[in-house]
Amino acid sequence: MPTLVAQSLTKSYPSAGGELPVLAGVSLSLERGENAAVIGPSGSGKSTLLSILGTLESPTAGVYELCGTAPFALAEAELAAFRSRHIGFIFQDHHLLPQCSVLENVLAPLLADGRASSSDVGRAEFLLDRVGLAHRRDHRPAQLSGGERQRAAIARALFRGPTLLLADEPTGNLDRTTAALISDLMLELQREYNAILIVVTHSQALAERLQRRFELDGGRLVPRA
Ligand code: ADP
Ligand code: MG
C-alpha cells in the first residue's frame, strides 16, 4: 500500500444555489520521497485539495490514507496529534506567529502538546542552520525578508520530520531569484527527509522541477507533461 493513497475524493460546499461541487473524484498515490505539482486556475480547488490531504478539512466522500491510517476516522484530538506528527505545511504567506522569534516559530508545532526539551531546541537550531537562518534565530518575522520568512516556514514544517509536506504557492510572494532559491531548499530538504511533497503552484519553473505534474480540471486531477 503506498504511503499516501487518495481514492475518489469529492468535496462540495453548501451554497445559495445548492451544493457547489469543487472536487469531483480525485485519486492519487504517492510513496515517500516522491513529489508532485498541482496546477490549475484560481478557484479550481487546489487549496481545498491540500486542506483535505493535510487533514484540515474532511472530504464529502472518498478514501484517504496516510501511513496506513485513515485520519478522518480518528477522534478530534487524535487527528490533531496525527496531523502534527505527519504533516508539514508551507503557505504562500508564511503563517509565522508575529510575536514569536524565529526559533520559537520552528518549535511551535511542539508547544501544543508540551514544552520544548533541550534536544528539541538543538534540533530546531540545527534546522535553522540548515535553512541558512542561524543568525536570525532571535528575530521576529517582521524583521525578516520574504525569502527569510519562507526559510523559517520550511524549517517549521520539517521540525517533526513529517511524512507529507504540503506547499500552497510557496514562492507566490517572492521575486524570481528568491523563488528559485526557496524552491531549491524545499526540494533538497524533501529529499533529505525522504518526505512526500505536494506543491500547488502557478510557477511553471517550479512545476517543471517536480517528478509529477497534475492539473485540477473539472474537479479531477489530470496528469500533465
Ligand atoms: P484554488 O486554491 O484553486 O484557488 P480553492 O480550493 O480555494 O481554489 O476554492 C475552490 C472553490 O471552492 C472556490 O469556488 C471557492 O470559493 C470554494 N470554497 C473554498 N473554500 C470554501 C468554503 N470553506 N466554503 C465555501 N466555499 C468554499
Ligand atoms: Mg488556493
Side-chain angles (χ1 to χ4, degrees):
M1 187 92 163
T3 305
L4 182 158
V5 180
Q7 277 166 3
S8 309
L9 292 176
T10 67
K11 182 70 179 179
S12 48
Y13 290 109
S15 75
E19 292 285 299
L20 170 74
V22 177
L23 302 179
V26 166
S27 298
L28 176 69
S29 294
L30 292 166
E31 292 289 3
R32 283 198 82 126
E34 291 191 314
N35 61 42
V38 176
I39 60 170
S42 181
S44 58
K46 305 181 297 298
S47 295
T48 300
L49 176 60
L50 283 201
S51 295
I52 293 171
L53 299 178
T55 75
L56 294 167
E57 219 176 330
S58 54
T60 304
V63 172
Y64 181 46
E65 288 191 16
L66 186 63
C67 299
T69 296
F72 296 112
L74 299 174
E76 203 174 320
E78 289 165 345
L79 176 59
F82 177 86
R83 183 186 306 126
S84 163
R85 175 66 196 85
H86 286 289
I87 303 170
F89 296 91
I90 303 166
F91 300 95
Q92 178 170 0
D93 57 349
H94 66 81
H95 288 207
L96 297 169
L97 301 168
Q99 72 280 19
C100 292
S101 70
V102 167
L103 181 69
E104 288 163 344
N105 267 287
V106 176
L107 289 165
L110 268 188
L111 299 177
D113 46 27
R115 291 183 64 81
S117 69
S118 61
S119 76
D120 293 326
V121 173
R123 224 153 25 87
E125 287 175 331
F126 172 84
L127 254 174
L128 284 176
D129 192 37
R130 180 64 189 80
V131 302
L133 279 186
H135 60 306
R136 294 281 187 263
R137 52 162 269 174
D138 297 320
H139 286 59
R140 312 258 162 232
Q143 299 171 299
L144 304 180
S145 69
E148 286 174 332
R149 285 197 278 264
Q150 283 308 59
R151 288 173 188 273
I154 290 169
R156 178 190 53 190
L158 286 165
F159 178 66
R160 300 199 71 186
T163 309
L164 174 62
L165 265 180
L166 297 171
D168 198 347
E169 292 286 354
T171 62
N173 287 341
L174 304 175
D175 63 77
R176 201 190 303 174
T177 307
T178 308
L181 291 170
I182 293 298
S183 302
D184 289 343
L185 183 65
M186 197 171 60
L187 288 165
E188 279 168 25
L189 285 163
Q190 180 231 337
R191 274 194 296 275
E192 283 175 32
Y193 282 75
N194 197 33
I196 294 168
L197 171 67
I198 301 175
V199 187
V200 163
T201 185
H202 284 113
S203 161
Q204 190 65 26
L206 176 51
E208 280 174 2
R209 298 188 57 188
L210 299 182
Q211 294 159 345
R212 297 166 72 183
R213 277 166 293 285
F214 298 93
E215 182 169 359
L216 256 183
D217 187 0
R220 290 169 194 274
L221 273 186
V222 182
R224 291 282 180 245

